[in-house]
Amino acid sequence: MQEEEKQYETVIGLEVHVELSTKTKIFCGCSTRFGAPPNTQTCPVCTGMPGTLPVLNRQVVEYALALGLALHCEVNRYCRFDRKNYFYPDNPQNYQISQLYLPVCYNGEIEIALAGEREEKENSALPEAAGTGRKKKIRIHELHMEEDAGKLVHEENGDSSLVDYNRSGVPLIEIVSEPDMRNAEEAVAYLEKLCMLCRYLGISDGKLQEGSLRADVNLSVRKAGCRTLGTRTEMKNLNSFRAVSRAVAEERRRQIALLEEGKKVIQETRRWDDAKGVSYSIRSKEDAEDYRYFPEPDVPPVVISEKWTEEIRGRLPEFREEKEARYQKEFGLSAYDAGVLTQSKHLAELFEETAVLCGKPKKAANWFMGELLRLLKEKGMEPEKLMFSPKHLADLITAAEQGKINQANAQKVFAEIVERDVEPLSYMKEQRLESLSDEGMLRLAAEEVLAGNPGLVAEFHAGKEKVFGFFVGQIMKKTRGMADPGKVNALLRQLLMRGE
């Protein structure tokens, strides 16, 4: 089968729904807070009561414009909403307010990083790191606004389902790509880039596991070299990058097997079961006419002026690629380090402020790349959850550079900064973690260790260098770990050489 698979090309397009982080829903004032008890964040508008009228949330339009501009899209100066008519228990109105004919943005593109560009270090707590590999542009067909449906909760030990309408009316942006991806790596890289853009813009947390970002994969296969697209299927229920990768591989295999057997691929919607690693058909694929779209009569068209667009453009943040280039030029960081530090906007902001405060960007980068990423991985913690003050880390770096605390103790203090945001200088004093700065006391401790071990001193002079480590350990023990190991080593060498 492997030989047959090489004769086929995979064609992939993605429909990505981004749940926006507005405080209220798209057409009413109900809260969008995640995790509230079922049906406690509803009103007559979002539950589809007769006679109610939707009022568009301006913030939703601005978020859509921001993402559209970040994706280099053209903006429809006149856009409107449409009704997508269908019946399903989680859809109380029996229609969804969406955009079909005049979406807010269209005709954009996004650049993704591929093999060699997304390297990963063992201690990285982040999904990807930049390097110098191949890049590819994926075209964006359109970007439109719509309302989310409710959520069906299926009982585990029963034959009924419950409906939670808290999510009904939560604002979504749907990004529809062109069929420009050819494998799972490209699909995952595309999703990662979209997720990162949303987080940089602050319009969504992009969490697949909480449904903040949901991807539907449209996939078809065709003979290598053929220009005609094959029959596509759409796969839903993909709630992780791993699920997307596995689903693409399995659907490619399934479609090729059908074609090799002389059968046809049916255009349909399939549900992915990640636990079993298979998909199954849930319905035949509908076309636009099946939904009987027509202009939404209760929501006026939106006129987007050039002035409004430019105001949004002026508020766009410095994106990752720009930060990477600036960190390399301004702070002298390597491409890899700059890439890791800019994957999360929050992480980048913490690093940059720390670097400026301590005046040692490379030292700050070392703490972030080493200790911080190690702690994040140990705790299973996302960078966005970090709450420590950059000034506290800058003060610790300065103290370590001035020899006021040794590296081992500095790591202990840093862990407390990450955990509880302690003020480092006060904490060092309270816990007696400051380095022993009195050279006379350090010399006295070293002389006592050497005087108490004349036999080992003789062995050292006879060429047995291994005993040197024993002397260092004993001095550190005498000073309760407060001595600077570098100073201990230098002083010991001086004393031992003098005693030859």
Side-chain angles (χ1 to χ4, degrees):
M1 185 63 186
Q2 289 183 350
E3 286 301 316
E4 287 87 346
E5 286 193 9
K6 291 179 182 178
Q7 300 172 20
Y8 289 87
E9 179 182 50
T10 312
V11 179
I12 303 167
L14 295 183
E15 297 172 15
V16 180
H17 293 82
V18 176
E19 191 174 280
L20 300 182
S21 57
T22 55
K23 291 182 179 179
T24 57
K25 296 183 180 182
I26 186 170
F27 296 120
C28 68
C30 291
S31 172
T32 58
R33 183 173 63 89
F34 180 79
N39 298 307
T40 58
Q41 297 179 169
T42 60
C43 73
V45 175
C46 57
T47 53
M49 295 294 108
T52 57
L53 290 174
V55 177
L56 178 60
N57 185 339
R58 180 186 177 92
Q59 186 74 74
V60 174
V61 183
E62 295 199 340
Y63 280 179
L65 283 171
L67 183 56
L69 293 172
L71 293 172
H72 311 290
C73 289
E74 296 181 51
V75 176
N76 257 326
R77 298 297 169 201
Y78 178 91
C79 69
R80 72 178 191 216
F81 287 87
D82 305 288
R83 281 192 185 180
K84 178 181 180 181
N85 297 275
Y86 69 95
F87 171 77
Y88 207 65
D90 62 5
N91 182 26
Q93 305 165 145
N94 292 331
Y95 62 83
Q96 178 190 33
I97 301 178
S98 181
Q99 292 186 303
L100 176 67
Y101 301 109
L102 293 171
V104 62
C105 296
Y106 64 98
N107 193 26
E109 66 178 22
I110 186 172
E111 189 173 70
I112 60 174
L114 297 170
E117 180 125 336
R118 301 185 307 126
E119 303 166 7
E120 185 175 353
K121 283 189 176 180
E122 283 187 10
N123 67 343
S124 177
L126 302 168
E128 63 161 311
T132 53
R134 187 169 65 92
K135 295 186 177 182
K136 179 177 180 178
K137 289 185 178 179
I138 306 297
R139 292 172 297 157
I140 304 296
H141 177 71
E142 69 172 52
L143 178 153
H144 62 258
M145 301 172 283
E146 62 185 22
E147 60 180 344
D148 206 348
K151 181 179 180 181
L152 285 177
V153 181
H154 306 289
E155 291 187 331
E156 291 184 10
N157 300 314
D159 57 359
S160 62
S161 297
L162 305 175
V163 188
D164 179 7
Y165 288 121
N166 280 350
R167 201 174 68 183
S168 180
V170 166
L172 298 177
I173 294 175
E174 181 173 356
I175 306 103
V176 182
S177 81
E178 297 289 358
D180 290 348
M181 287 158 270
R182 295 293 176 264
N183 52 51
E185 182 197 8
E186 292 182 6
V188 170
Y190 172 84
L191 281 173
E192 288 177 341
K193 184 66 175 287
L194 271 183
C195 183
M196 184 196 65
L197 280 177
C198 290
R199 287 178 173 175
Y200 259 79
L201 289 166
I203 66 173
S204 175
D205 61 23
K207 293 180 180 177
L208 275 76
Q209 69 276 15
E210 292 183 5
S212 302
L213 188 146
R214 307 195 292 273
D216 298 336
V217 175
N218 290 287
L219 185 149
S220 64
V221 296
R222 62 186 178 189
K223 285 283 189 179
C226 178
R227 299 182 66 85
T228 305
L229 293 174
T231 303
R232 66 186 170 91
T233 61
E234 180 181 26
M235 277 185 294
K236 293 183 176 290
N237 195 40
L238 304 167
N239 57 8
S240 69
F241 296 129
R242 177 177 176 271
V244 170
S245 183
R246 295 180 70 208
V248 166
E250 173 56 25
E251 182 61 12
R252 168 185 162 83
R253 185 206 61 76
R254 188 188 72 85
Q255 290 191 20
I256 291 174
L258 286 173
L259 295 176
E260 285 296 307
E261 292 170 9
K263 299 177 182 178
K264 290 184 177 181
V265 175
I266 300 171
Q267 184 173 337
E268 61 186 350
T269 300
R270 302 180 67 83
R271 183 178 180 84
W272 174 252
D273 187 327
D274 201 45
K276 296 179 181 177
V278 296
S279 65
Y280 55 89
S281 178
I282 52 176
R283 62 176 179 270
S284 60
K285 177 64 178 172
E286 302 93 340
D287 291 314
E289 56 266 25
D290 295 317
Y291 289 114
R292 306 187 315 281
Y293 278 96
F294 64 84
E296 168 56 51
D298 293 335
V299 181
V302 181
V303 178
I304 302 172
S305 66
E306 183 70 29
K307 180 183 177 183
W308 192 13
T309 304
E310 290 309 307
E311 284 177 2
I312 302 298
R313 194 189 304 276
R315 298 203 297 263
L316 293 180
E318 180 184 42
F319 288 111
R320 180 188 182 184
E321 290 80 2
E322 298 162 315
K323 281 189 182 294
E324 281 184 273
R326 182 166 64 82
Y327 285 5
Q328 292 176 64
K329 181 179 179 181
E330 191 175 311
F331 295 144
L333 301 185
S334 69
Y336 181 86
D337 288 0
V340 171
L341 292 169
T342 54
Q343 289 170 73
S344 159
K345 183 185 178 186
H346 183 57
L347 190 72
E349 288 171 345
L350 287 175
F351 159 73
E352 191 164 338
E353 192 171 345
T354 302
V356 171
L357 286 170
C358 72
K360 297 183 181 298
K362 289 189 177 180
K363 291 291 182 181
N366 290 340
W367 277 94
F368 273 78
M369 296 288 296
E371 280 301 298
L372 184 57
L373 293 190
R374 181 184 65 79
L375 288 171
L376 286 175
K377 187 173 183 180
E378 281 182 5
K379 296 174 181 292
M381 183 178 173
E382 294 182 352
E384 284 70 24
K385 298 293 183 183
L386 291 168
M387 299 299 291
F388 68 83
S389 164
K391 185 177 187 308
H392 289 169
L393 178 52
D395 287 346
L396 177 63
I397 292 172
T398 301
E401 288 299 296
Q402 292 174 350
K404 293 180 180 179
I405 186 170
N406 63 40
Q407 185 65 22
N409 286 336
Q411 289 173 345
K412 294 177 184 177
V413 176
F414 180 64
E416 291 298 318
I417 290 175
V418 172
E419 185 71 28
R420 301 188 290 118
D421 196 25
V422 300
E423 199 287 309
L425 302 182
S426 299
Y427 185 79
M428 285 159 53
K429 288 181 180 178
E430 290 169 7
Q431 301 297 317
R432 303 179 69 183
L433 296 173
E434 295 172 294
S435 289
L436 188 64
S437 57
D438 189 321
E439 191 170 331
M441 291 180 66
L442 184 57
R443 178 177 291 271
L444 180 62
E447 289 175 343
E448 286 178 357
V449 169
L450 295 180
N453 296 278
L456 292 177
V457 171
E459 288 184 24
F460 176 81
H461 289 150
K464 197 172 182 180
E465 275 276 342
K466 291 169 71 174
V467 298
F468 188 84
F470 170 78
F471 295 141
V472 173
Q474 290 301 301
I475 295 170
M476 295 301 291
K477 187 176 179 181
K478 268 186 172 294
T479 59
R480 300 190 306 278
M482 294 169 66
D484 183 291
K487 290 183 178 179
V488 170
N489 274 269
L491 181 58
L492 259 178
R493 291 283 177 192
Q494 181 187 351
L495 293 174
L496 286 167
M497 293 303 106
R498 190 182 68 183
E500 283 186 328

